[in-house]
Amino acid sequence: MNPSDQATPGFNHRIPDKILTPDNVETSVGTLEFFDGIPSADTLSTVFDNLDRMRGVETFLNGIPATSIEGIRRGFAEVGLDACNKVVIFAMMDSNSLFLTGNTDTVYAVNIFDLSDTGPIVMDIPAGCGPGTVDDAFFRFVTDMGAPGPDRGAGGKYLILPPDDPSDLHPPVGGGKAVVDGETYFVARSTSYVNLVALRGFLVDGTPDAAIDMFTNGVKIYPLNQAKNPPKMEFINRSGAEFNTIHANNFDFYEEFHTVIEREPVSFLDPELRGLFASIGIQKGKTFAPDERMTKILSDAVAIGNATARALALRLRDESCCIYPDSGWWYPIPGGSYEWLKDGGDGGGRNLDVRTLFFYQATLNTPAMMMKMIGVGSQYAGVSTDSAGHPFDGAKTYRLALPANVPAKDFWSVVAYDPQTRSELQTSQPMPSTNNKRDGLVVNADGSVDLHFGPTAPDGDKVNWIATVPGKSWFTYLRLYGPLDAWFDQTWRPSEVQLID
């Protein structure tokens, strides 16, 4: 009789070893013990703790887009943004405000509205508005406005419908034209009640005055049911204000996330995600009240999730993010899909790591940021390590060389960020950045520009210098406004960031 045909002990026939569980199994969470495949009491405790921990980590990674919007909502509420007819303006965003990779080069006009309070919202956008975007409470794209939007910079009226709007208007993602009560609108339907609106205007002759005038005289936001008598607009200047818009990275994260789940409709998320979040006690209509055991596990999970997000966002491993071979430069918006689909979604599905990379360090989601549009919109490149692959040290000096003819029709800028807050680096410079149209940079004889990062200006040259802080690290974005062919075909590229001292 062939030994391989012998019956497995305890069975009538030979049972494949691969489907059996030994009495003791060594794993990364410890030794797991079984009696004939039934977990012991200690093993039950180990695996259930591990399961809850894993789901806590996944809730953190998957919930970042929602808590990021919630952090923005809470932060702006603290500085007076508490009604749809109020707009907060940043003449130029400096490092006082904690805002994920905000830039110093455009004028922001921000509004947050809650469709459960207002019903359908009308936004009157003036001609000449720069890129504008509406995102839902999970940072999903609703519509664009201004230059990349359906008004193409000519201005127009936008109508945003709540998810439960009973009308027969069902526009595609991004919106479509429709006549409502005799008025023509660009209509979009949001999947959530809370929505973020961010409009941008450009500096003219180095000042924000023209953009501020455009916003304050042209932007109107009001409920559709008040169209005949809209409330007076209020514009709140919060340039230089100290406030936080960033989600928590500790246990408070889950409390913030529960607020979102409780406020938004069930249809806001698909059953798969709702099930994940409910497995750790975050469910619409139920109090989030974890016991001592679960609080300890989730506190561990959020620490692991935060470390994972930081690794994905600042020590990137996804090859699709790499701009050049053997280079530290990466795309903060890789893949060309505002839905974060890998290979178009065919086979690859949603690239969850890239979505985490983006939303852990940035805000706003629009196809305009992903598309190749020559001379229109903007492109971004990030770098968080020097030419040797080491994180930047704020006590040391580095050089970034930008060759001549930077491929930006409008202008380019470089901004330094703090890896802790992913906000503008707080230094002796209120705006830790350079801008070729604003700053009168020193240009080399061949047309190239050398920028320096360090605690002191090399040779006293403060024009081409961005200050850093000893004892801290930093990372930076290069932004191209109106990107040209040479950026996309890579016939132009920035140098690696070189340590020089």
Side-chain angles (χ1 to χ4, degrees):
M1 183 178 181
N2 190 328
S4 64
D5 294 331
Q6 292 180 358
T8 300
F11 294 88
N12 294 333
H13 308 287
R14 180 70 183 174
I15 305 299
D17 289 342
K18 66 182 180 180
I19 73 171
L20 299 176
T21 298
D23 289 345
N24 293 279
V25 179
E26 298 297 330
T27 75
S28 61
V29 297
T31 301
L32 306 181
E33 300 175 337
F34 304 86
F35 169 65
D36 199 24
I38 300 175
S40 68
D42 287 344
T43 294
L44 280 178
S45 177
T46 298
V47 296
F48 284 147
D49 285 356
N50 187 58
L51 179 62
D52 290 339
R53 184 182 303 107
M54 289 192 301
R55 287 176 172 166
V57 171
E58 285 299 321
T59 293
F60 180 86
L61 296 176
N62 283 282
I64 287 173
T67 54
S68 186
I69 283 276
E70 177 63 9
I72 293 170
R73 186 195 67 80
R74 294 183 182 200
F76 276 102
E78 290 179 4
V79 295
L81 187 55
D82 55 8
C84 69
N85 63 311
K86 295 183 178 181
V87 171
V88 170
I89 289 181
F90 292 92
M92 283 184 283
M93 185 176 287
D94 64 22
S95 60
N96 287 331
S97 303
L98 298 180
F99 203 102
L100 293 176
T101 52
N103 75 67
T104 62
D105 310 296
T106 57
V107 182
Y108 286 101
V110 178
N111 175 272
I112 297 171
F113 56 82
D114 186 340
L115 293 166
S116 67
D117 290 337
T118 63
I121 280 280
V122 176
M123 291 183 289
D124 200 342
I125 304 302
C129 184
T133 301
V134 179
D135 284 332
D136 80 353
F138 204 77
F139 257 126
R140 289 173 296 211
F141 173 66
V142 177
T143 190
D144 276 330
M145 295 169 291
D151 71 90
R152 295 295 184 263
K157 292 182 183 293
Y158 286 76
L159 178 62
I160 310 300
L161 305 175
D164 50 6
D165 182 75
S167 73
D168 59 359
L169 294 171
H170 297 282
V173 174
K177 272 190 175 183
V179 176
V180 178
D181 298 335
E183 186 77 54
T184 300
Y185 296 96
F186 298 109
V187 181
R189 182 184 289 262
S190 177
T191 54
S192 66
Y193 295 131
V194 165
N195 289 259
L196 169 68
V197 183
L199 306 175
R200 286 181 285 176
F202 296 120
L203 304 180
V204 177
D205 297 327
T207 77
D209 297 348
I212 293 174
D213 182 70
M214 173 188 64
F215 289 141
T216 56
N217 290 308
V219 172
K220 295 179 176 59
I221 304 175
Y222 50 89
L224 178 64
N225 61 18
Q226 297 180 31
K228 293 183 178 179
N229 187 28
K232 182 180 179 181
M233 292 296 298
E234 296 182 39
F235 294 92
I236 308 167
N237 190 336
R238 286 294 179 259
S239 301
E242 298 179 24
F243 69 106
N244 174 47
T245 69
I246 301 171
H247 65 78
N249 287 324
N250 60 11
F251 184 83
D252 291 349
F253 176 94
Y254 299 110
E255 300 279 5
E256 294 173 356
F257 188 54
H258 179 258
T259 299
V260 179
I261 298 301
E262 186 63 26
R263 181 186 60 232
E264 299 298 340
V266 170
S267 60
F268 173 61
L269 297 172
D270 63 48
E272 193 83 13
L273 280 178
R274 293 202 304 272
L276 169 64
F277 304 145
S279 72
I280 64 165
I282 298 177
Q283 181 176 345
K284 185 176 178 66
K286 294 190 176 182
T287 302
F288 177 59
D291 59 19
E292 183 178 353
R293 168 191 167 273
M294 197 63 175
T295 297
K296 182 179 179 180
I297 288 173
L298 291 180
S299 297
D300 186 35
V302 75
I304 296 170
N306 178 52
T308 304
R310 287 183 171 277
L312 292 170
L314 295 169
R315 300 302 300 270
L316 289 67
R317 72 172 184 174
D318 192 302
E319 293 184 357
S320 69
C321 302
C322 299
I323 301 179
Y324 315 105
D326 301 318
S327 170
W329 287 99
W330 36 261
Y331 292 113
I333 314 170
S337 169
Y338 72 93
E339 296 177 296
W340 319 105
L341 298 179
K342 187 175 183 178
D343 300 325
D346 295 333
R350 201 179 311 281
N351 192 328
L352 300 178
D353 289 353
V354 168
R355 185 178 68 180
T356 297
L357 177 166
F358 179 79
F359 285 115
Y360 193 73
Q361 63 171 273
T363 60
L364 298 183
N365 180 15
T366 165
M369 295 169 68
M370 316 288 182
M371 297 168 59
K372 177 180 178 180
M373 297 187 295
I374 304 300
V376 178
S378 53
Q379 285 287 305
Y380 307 81
V383 63
S384 50
T385 54
D386 65 19
S387 57
H390 303 306
F392 298 124
D393 184 339
K396 298 178 180 179
T397 300
Y398 301 82
R399 179 176 59 242
L400 167 62
L402 301 178
N405 302 314
V406 178
K409 178 177 69 68
D410 299 320
F411 64 93
W412 58 262
S413 75
V414 173
V415 185
Y417 296 103
D418 187 314
Q420 283 281 8
T421 64
R422 290 91 70 209
S423 303
E424 292 177 25
L425 189 66
Q426 294 186 350
T427 70
S428 57
Q429 298 170 324
M431 292 187 292
S433 65
T434 56
N435 177 314
N436 72 309
K437 291 292 183 68
R438 182 190 66 204
D439 295 330
L441 298 172
V442 175
V443 179
N444 299 323
D446 64 356
S448 65
V449 174
D450 291 329
L451 302 179
H452 292 94
F453 303 82
T456 58
D459 302 322
D461 177 15
K462 294 186 176 182
V463 178
N464 290 34
W465 167 64
I466 297 177
T468 59
V469 182
K472 291 187 62 60
S473 188
W474 54 274
F475 67 101
T476 191
Y477 274 13
L478 166 66
R479 288 178 170 87
L480 307 177
Y481 290 88
L484 301 175
D485 279 313
W487 170 254
F488 294 104
D489 64 24
Q490 298 189 354
T491 54
W492 182 96
R493 63 177 283 185
S495 77
E496 299 301 298
V497 181
Q498 300 280 346
L499 174 65
I500 61 174
D501 181 15

